[in-house]
């Protein structure tokens, strides 16, 4: 069994798109892969309710209760490691997980740690990507799925989706258009990684 652990902080719509793809495409039957857990750093993350309704174990590790970034990351690593099997380390999927991870955490999970970022990286790492794309006069925006390395929003690119920026766009309308594409590319990448297929 290949365990997939998804980390969220809020809405969890990317997590939900991965869960739905796993269900409709029968990942467990075809690839021996399942969403083993959804972990949030916030108790009020709306995505937790969706995961619970799907019967997926959920856990909250509240970063505010830790004295340092390192101690939070250690607790997170322990929680994830419960889903590592001796011959099958878990795939760790950051889906709207709004915490910067320490180099020690990234090193522990490197090679099996992926993220989705709402811009066409390497443009616009960090926050407020949609407004920054509009302000820069970009004609196209998009999303990137990438491997996580110690440098924020910078690891090797696994997939991208491109959308037009329209003259009347606000950061909200552009975010919605990009998010629709995120929901397509992220499940595709996770499926490829757990199935060994190329994409
Ligand atoms: C997405 O745009 C994601 O790329 C970004 O935050 C948003 C969160 O969406 N990091 P959700 O929590 O998956 O609904």
């Amino acid at each position: 069994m290949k365990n997939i652990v998804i980390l969220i902080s809020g809405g969890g719509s990317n997590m939900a798109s991965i869960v739905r793809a796993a269900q409709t495409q029968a990942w467990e039957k075809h690839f021996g892969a399942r969403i083993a857990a959804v972990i949030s750093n916030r108790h009020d993350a709306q995505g937790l309710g969706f995961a619970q309704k799907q019967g997926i174990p959920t856990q909250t590790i509240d970063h505010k209760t830790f004295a340092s970034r390192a101690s939070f990351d250690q607790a997170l690593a322990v929680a994830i490691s419960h889903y590592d099997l001796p011959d099958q380390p878990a795939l760790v999927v950051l889906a709207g997980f709004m915490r910067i991870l320490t180099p020690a955490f990234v090193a522990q999970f490197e090679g099996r740690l992926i993220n989705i970022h709402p811009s066409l990286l390497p443009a616009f790492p960090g926050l407020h990507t949609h407004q920054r794309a509009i302000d820069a006069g970009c004609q196209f925006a998009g999303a990137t799925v990438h491997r996580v390395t110690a440098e924020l929003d910078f690891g090797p690119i696994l997939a991208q989706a491109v959308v037009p920026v329209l003259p009347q766009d606000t950061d909200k309308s552009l975010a919605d258009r990009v998010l629709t594409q995120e929901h397509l590319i992220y499940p595709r990448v996770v499926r490829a990684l757990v199935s060994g297929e190329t994409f």
Side-chain angles (χ1 to χ4, degrees):
M1 179 58 65
K2 177 83 178 169
N3 283 331
I4 301 165
V5 177
I6 307 182
L7 309 190
I8 66 168
S9 296
S13 67
N14 277 294
M15 174 272 295
S17 74
I18 295 166
V19 169
R20 288 201 188 95
Q23 291 166 345
T24 57
Q25 298 165 15
W27 289 0
E28 186 152 357
K29 177 165 157 242
H30 294 305
F31 316 128
R34 59 163 187 175
I35 318 300
V38 171
I39 301 175
S40 170
N41 67 306
R42 297 177 57 114
H43 290 285
D44 60 356
Q46 304 95 293
L48 289 171
F50 171 87
Q52 283 154 6
K53 277 195 207 107
Q54 308 302 310
I56 299 168
T58 63
Q59 188 178 342
T60 298
I61 303 173
D62 183 351
H63 64 276
K64 293 198 285 303
T65 63
F66 291 85
S68 67
R69 206 176 272 285
S71 57
F72 168 72
D73 279 11
Q74 275 162 16
L76 192 58
V78 169
I80 295 168
S81 64
H82 288 134
Y83 301 98
D84 282 338
L85 305 175
D87 54 339
Q88 280 279 45
L91 176 66
V92 183
V93 176
L94 308 180
F97 185 66
M98 303 302 284
R99 300 294 304 163
I100 294 175
L101 296 163
T102 54
F105 181 95
V106 172
Q108 186 173 343
F109 294 97
E110 196 153 4
R112 55 191 177 103
L113 180 60
I114 61 174
N115 181 44
I116 191 159
H117 182 74
S119 79
L120 293 172
L121 292 174
F124 309 125
L127 297 174
H128 310 301
T129 53
H130 306 298
Q131 190 60 53
R132 287 158 68 202
I134 291 169
D135 292 347
C138 293
Q139 297 185 354
F140 295 93
T144 303
V145 179
H146 64 97
R147 293 191 186 278
V148 176
T149 57
E151 193 172 346
L152 181 70
D153 298 331
F154 205 77
I157 291 170
L158 296 169
Q160 289 186 310
V162 179
V163 302
V165 180
L166 302 178
Q168 68 277 18
D169 263 336
T170 61
D171 62 337
K172 171 83 175 75
S173 63
L174 181 56
D176 288 347
R177 192 175 309 119
V178 170
L179 193 59
T180 304
Q181 295 302 313
E182 294 182 44
H183 297 162
L184 299 177
I185 62 172
Y186 214 2
R188 209 175 288 154
V189 170
V190 175
R191 177 192 156 115
L193 292 176
V194 296
S195 70
E197 76 198 27
T198 49
F199 59 95

XYZ file of all heavy atoms in Angstrom, residues 108-164:
431
model
N 14.029 15.596 5.221
C 13.482 14.298 5.642
C 12.527 13.720 4.598
O 12.454 12.504 4.431
C 12.757 14.457 6.990
C 12.286 13.141 7.566
C 11.721 13.303 8.973
O 11.958 14.317 9.649
N 10.987 12.309 9.417
N 11.814 14.601 3.897
C 10.777 14.116 2.973
C 11.124 14.388 1.507
O 10.304 14.126 0.627
C 9.429 14.734 3.326
C 8.931 14.265 4.664
C 9.121 15.033 5.803
C 8.327 13.026 4.801
C 8.689 14.587 7.044
C 7.905 12.561 6.034
C 8.077 13.341 7.163
N 12.318 14.898 1.264
C 12.689 15.275 -0.099
C 12.558 14.076 -1.036
O 12.881 12.944 -0.676
C 14.118 15.836 -0.151
C 14.367 16.589 -1.444
C 15.426 17.687 -1.320
O 16.040 17.837 -0.245
O 15.620 18.390 -2.320
N 12.044 14.364 -2.236
C 11.836 13.299 -3.207
C 10.432 12.735 -3.149
O 9.988 12.048 -4.063
N 9.731 13.018 -2.042
C 8.340 12.544 -1.924
C 7.440 13.626 -1.342
O 6.430 13.348 -0.719
C 8.282 11.266 -1.093
C 8.924 11.387 0.289
C 9.046 10.003 0.879
N 9.711 9.974 2.153
C 9.097 9.838 3.324
N 7.788 9.716 3.367
N 9.783 9.782 4.440
N 7.860 14.865 -1.554
C 7.160 16.034 -1.017
C 6.860 16.971 -2.184
O 7.773 17.425 -2.878
C 8.074 16.719 0.005
C 7.603 17.956 0.729
C 6.343 17.679 1.540
C 8.715 18.473 1.656
N 5.552 17.237 -2.415
C 5.182 18.080 -3.552
C 4.226 19.181 -3.093
O 3.580 19.081 -2.058
C 4.562 17.265 -4.713
C 3.281 16.546 -4.281
C 5.578 16.274 -5.261
C 2.550 15.841 -5.430
N 4.153 20.238 -3.911
C 3.344 21.404 -3.568
C 2.665 21.927 -4.822
O 3.143 21.693 -5.934
C 4.255 22.498 -2.985
C 3.499 23.747 -2.577
O 2.431 23.653 -1.965
N 4.025 24.914 -2.916
N 1.556 22.626 -4.626
C 0.962 23.380 -5.737
C 1.016 24.849 -5.387
O 0.749 25.242 -4.240
C -0.472 22.922 -6.062
C -0.923 23.543 -7.384
C -1.445 23.207 -4.920
C -2.073 22.816 -8.053
N 1.403 25.648 -6.378
C 1.548 27.084 -6.159
C 0.772 27.818 -7.250
O 0.897 27.470 -8.429
C 3.035 27.473 -6.204
C 3.251 28.922 -5.952
N 3.133 29.487 -4.699
C 3.531 29.945 -6.801
C 3.348 30.786 -4.776
N 3.593 31.090 -6.042
N -0.018 28.835 -6.858
C -0.883 29.478 -7.848
C -0.201 30.561 -8.685
O -0.641 31.708 -8.722
C -2.018 30.050 -6.986
C -1.366 30.347 -5.680
C -0.288 29.307 -5.498
N 0.897 30.183 -9.344
C 1.515 31.066 -10.346
C 2.317 30.187 -11.294
O 2.523 29.000 -11.017
C 2.452 32.093 -9.704
O 3.695 31.500 -9.378
N 2.754 30.798 -12.366
C 3.637 30.087 -13.289
C 5.070 30.283 -12.779
O 5.771 31.191 -13.203
C 3.465 30.635 -14.711
C 2.088 30.364 -15.340
C 1.934 31.116 -16.660
C 1.897 28.864 -15.555
N 5.486 29.422 -11.873
C 6.847 29.525 -11.337
C 7.855 29.388 -12.481
O 7.577 28.680 -13.442
C 7.075 28.425 -10.275
C 6.273 28.595 -8.984
C 6.470 27.367 -8.093
C 6.668 29.865 -8.232
N 8.997 30.068 -12.425
C 9.538 30.780 -11.265
C 8.986 32.203 -11.075
O 9.495 32.924 -10.211
C 11.033 30.793 -11.534
C 11.138 30.779 -13.018
C 9.991 29.952 -13.501
N 7.968 32.608 -11.835
C 7.375 33.921 -11.568
C 6.536 33.857 -10.295
O 5.849 32.860 -10.050
C 6.491 34.349 -12.737
N 6.583 34.895 -9.515
C 5.706 35.109 -8.362
C 5.705 33.999 -7.318
O 4.645 33.433 -7.005
C 4.270 35.384 -8.825
C 4.170 36.462 -9.873
C 3.548 36.212 -11.087
C 4.720 37.724 -9.649
C 3.469 37.202 -12.058
C 4.644 38.713 -10.625
C 4.015 38.445 -11.833
N 6.840 33.640 -6.764
C 6.803 32.807 -5.553
C 6.180 33.629 -4.425
O 6.074 34.862 -4.545
C 8.290 32.517 -5.272
C 9.038 33.637 -5.926
C 8.200 34.077 -7.115
N 5.767 32.969 -3.354
C 5.224 33.710 -2.203
C 3.733 33.975 -2.330
O 3.024 33.256 -3.026
N 3.289 35.038 -1.658
C 1.846 35.313 -1.520
C 1.335 36.307 -2.578
O 2.125 36.898 -3.307
C 1.563 35.873 -0.123
C 1.867 34.924 1.053
C 1.694 35.645 2.383
C 0.982 33.676 0.987
N 0.017 36.459 -2.630
C -0.665 37.464 -3.466
C -0.288 37.337 -4.942
O -0.101 38.326 -5.645
C -0.353 38.881 -2.955
C -0.569 39.026 -1.480
N -1.792 38.800 -0.868
C 0.289 39.313 -0.461
C -1.677 38.976 0.430
N -0.429 39.265 0.717
N -0.180 36.107 -5.397
C 0.311 35.854 -6.752
C -0.599 36.462 -7.827
O -0.107 36.966 -8.832
C 0.423 34.345 -6.992
O -0.840 33.746 -6.660
C 1.508 33.731 -6.132
N -1.912 36.395 -7.603
C -2.829 36.831 -8.668
C -2.786 38.353 -8.831
O -2.717 38.852 -9.946
C -4.246 36.332 -8.357
C -4.282 34.858 -8.116
N -3.928 33.947 -9.088
C -4.570 34.129 -7.016
C -4.020 32.730 -8.589
N -4.403 32.813 -7.326
N -2.813 39.061 -7.726
C -2.734 40.520 -7.811
C -1.395 40.946 -8.413
O -1.332 41.897 -9.213
C -2.914 41.141 -6.413
C -3.094 42.644 -6.449
C -4.317 43.061 -7.266
O -5.421 42.584 -7.042
N -4.106 43.946 -8.253
N -0.351 40.238 -8.050
C 0.977 40.592 -8.592
C 1.020 40.349 -10.101
O 1.622 41.137 -10.843
C 2.069 39.800 -7.864
C 2.296 40.311 -6.436
C 2.944 39.253 -5.559
N 4.302 38.930 -5.916
C 4.917 37.781 -5.581
N 4.266 36.861 -4.873
N 6.147 37.564 -5.935
N 0.382 39.279 -10.565
C 0.351 38.998 -12.013
C -0.440 40.092 -12.734
O -0.038 40.565 -13.806
C -0.253 37.624 -12.266
N -1.564 40.515 -12.137
C -2.373 41.592 -12.743
C -1.561 42.893 -12.763
O -1.459 43.571 -13.788
C -3.694 41.766 -11.964
C -4.596 40.546 -12.187
C -4.404 43.059 -12.367
C -5.814 40.490 -11.265
N -0.950 43.207 -11.632
C -0.184 44.463 -11.535
C 0.989 44.506 -12.509
O 1.378 45.579 -12.988
C 0.346 44.664 -10.110
C -0.776 44.930 -9.108
O -1.912 45.202 -9.547
O -0.517 44.820 -7.891
N 1.550 43.328 -12.790
C 2.701 43.276 -13.701
C 2.264 43.321 -15.160
O 3.110 43.346 -16.060
C 3.510 42.009 -13.433
N 0.947 43.303 -15.393
C 0.459 43.333 -16.771
C 0.604 41.996 -17.488
O 0.624 41.952 -18.728
N 0.691 40.912 -16.732
C 0.820 39.584 -17.363
C -0.421 39.292 -18.206
O -1.543 39.595 -17.793
C 0.955 38.493 -16.298
S 2.473 38.588 -15.362
N -0.216 38.681 -19.349
C -1.348 38.279 -20.184
C -1.775 36.841 -19.875
O -2.851 36.407 -20.274
C -0.988 38.427 -21.659
C -0.707 39.890 -22.000
C -0.472 40.127 -23.470
O -0.412 39.198 -24.263
N -0.321 41.391 -23.826
N -0.885 36.133 -19.215
C -1.191 34.761 -18.807
C -0.784 34.561 -17.355
O 0.170 35.169 -16.879
C -0.462 33.744 -19.705
C -0.940 33.797 -21.126
C -0.295 34.587 -22.063
C -2.066 33.092 -21.528
C -0.747 34.673 -23.366
C -2.538 33.174 -22.828
C -1.874 33.960 -23.750
N -1.535 33.703 -16.688
C -1.198 33.315 -15.318
C -1.379 31.803 -15.247
O -1.576 31.156 -16.272
C -2.107 34.033 -14.326
N -1.316 31.248 -14.037
C -1.493 29.803 -13.983
C -1.078 29.229 -12.654
O -1.016 29.934 -11.636
N -0.802 27.944 -12.687
C -0.445 27.215 -11.471
C 0.670 26.236 -11.794
O 0.821 25.804 -12.945
C -1.650 26.460 -10.921
N 1.412 25.880 -10.750
C 2.560 24.987 -10.906
C 2.536 23.927 -9.808
O 2.368 24.265 -8.630
C 3.881 25.784 -10.770
O 3.900 26.836 -11.740
C 5.098 24.885 -10.956
N 2.699 22.683 -10.197
C 2.960 21.618 -9.224
C 4.460 21.345 -9.279
O 5.023 21.167 -10.362
C 2.173 20.331 -9.550
C 2.491 19.248 -8.522
C 0.676 20.611 -9.598
N 5.087 21.350 -8.106
C 6.544 21.188 -8.099
C 6.993 20.366 -6.900
O 6.282 20.265 -5.887
C 7.224 22.568 -8.077
C 6.959 23.365 -6.838
N 7.833 23.412 -5.775
C 5.903 24.124 -6.469
C 7.322 24.177 -4.826
N 6.151 24.621 -5.209
N 8.171 19.801 -7.039
C 8.790 19.141 -5.892
C 9.239 20.219 -4.915
O 9.629 21.306 -5.337
C 9.983 18.300 -6.339
C 9.582 17.105 -7.190
C 10.758 16.165 -7.378
N 10.424 15.102 -8.313
C 9.746 13.991 -7.986
N 9.366 13.801 -6.728
N 9.462 13.085 -8.890
N 9.167 19.902 -3.635
C 9.547 20.891 -2.623
C 11.023 20.713 -2.277
O 11.475 19.599 -1.978
C 8.679 20.747 -1.360
C 9.142 21.712 -0.271
C 7.217 21.000 -1.708
N 11.732 21.825 -2.347
C 13.124 21.874 -1.912
C 13.219 22.958 -0.840
O 12.229 23.637 -0.554
C 14.055 22.205 -3.098
O 13.612 23.447 -3.661
C 14.021 21.114 -4.164
N 14.409 23.133 -0.303
C 14.548 24.070 0.822
C 14.199 25.492 0.417
O 13.784 26.297 1.250
C 15.956 23.989 1.386
N 14.349 25.825 -0.859
C 14.037 27.190 -1.298
C 12.538 27.295 -1.588
O 11.989 26.485 -2.348
C 14.850 27.531 -2.556
C 14.816 29.001 -2.875
C 15.780 29.364 -4.003
O 16.643 28.523 -4.342
O 15.656 30.470 -4.542
N 11.876 28.306 -1.014
C 10.413 28.428 -1.099
C 9.936 28.536 -2.549
O 10.427 29.367 -3.310
C 9.974 29.678 -0.323
C 8.471 29.950 -0.292
C 7.757 28.912 0.564
C 8.192 31.349 0.223
N 8.956 27.713 -2.918
C 8.296 27.768 -4.231
C 9.302 27.692 -5.376
O 9.224 28.464 -6.344
C 7.452 29.058 -4.360
C 6.334 29.115 -3.337
O 5.845 28.043 -2.923
O 5.943 30.229 -2.949
N 10.240 26.764 -5.284
C 11.317 26.792 -6.272
C 11.703 25.431 -6.851
O 12.448 25.369 -7.811
C 12.567 27.447 -5.651
C 13.481 28.044 -6.675
C 13.169 29.260 -7.256
C 14.635 27.379 -7.071
C 13.993 29.814 -8.209
C 15.485 27.943 -8.025
C 15.158 29.163 -8.592
N 11.216 24.328 -6.303
C 11.726 23.011 -6.708
C 11.373 22.644 -8.125
O 10.632 23.360 -8.798
N 11.917 21.504 -8.608
C 11.667 21.058 -9.984
C 10.172 21.000 -10.320
O 9.365 20.506 -9.540
C 12.287 19.658 -10.007
C 13.325 19.676 -8.944
C 12.821 20.606 -7.884
N 9.847 21.509 -11.503
C 8.446 21.620 -11.933
C 7.960 20.268 -12.459
O 8.622 19.630 -13.284
C 8.326 22.720 -13.002
C 8.577 24.088 -12.360
C 6.957 22.684 -13.681
C 8.723 25.232 -13.351
N 6.790 19.843 -11.980
C 6.181 18.586 -12.431
C 5.050 18.831 -13.415
O 4.808 18.013 -14.303
C 5.652 17.804 -11.220
C 6.724 17.346 -10.221
C 6.082 16.825 -8.945
C 7.611 16.275 -10.848
N 4.306 19.918 -13.258
C 3.209 20.234 -14.177
C 2.843 21.706 -14.029
O 3.018 22.291 -12.958
C 1.984 19.374 -13.865
N 2.351 22.274 -15.124
C 1.825 23.640 -15.067
C 0.538 23.726 -15.877
O 0.323 22.945 -16.805
C 2.831 24.657 -15.642
C 4.033 24.860 -14.735
C 4.953 25.952 -15.203
O 5.338 25.980 -16.359
N 5.333 26.861 -14.294
N -0.295 24.679 -15.519
C -1.484 24.998 -16.307
C -1.501 26.500 -16.513
O -1.137 27.257 -15.605
C -2.749 24.550 -15.583
N -1.920 26.915 -17.696
C -1.901 28.332 -18.065
C -3.328 28.812 -18.296
O -4.126 28.092 -18.900
C -1.066 28.526 -19.362
C -1.057 29.993 -19.778
C 0.346 28.004 -19.171
N -3.642 29.995 -17.806
C -4.943 30.621 -18.098
C -4.681 32.053 -18.561
O -3.666 32.643 -18.204
C -5.885 30.650 -16.864
C -6.139 29.252 -16.313
C -5.342 31.566 -15.780
N -5.606 32.620 -19.352
C -5.436 34.029 -19.737
C -5.762 34.946 -18.566
O -6.580 34.608 -17.708
C -6.466 34.206 -20.858
C -7.511 33.172 -20.598
C -6.802 32.007 -19.948
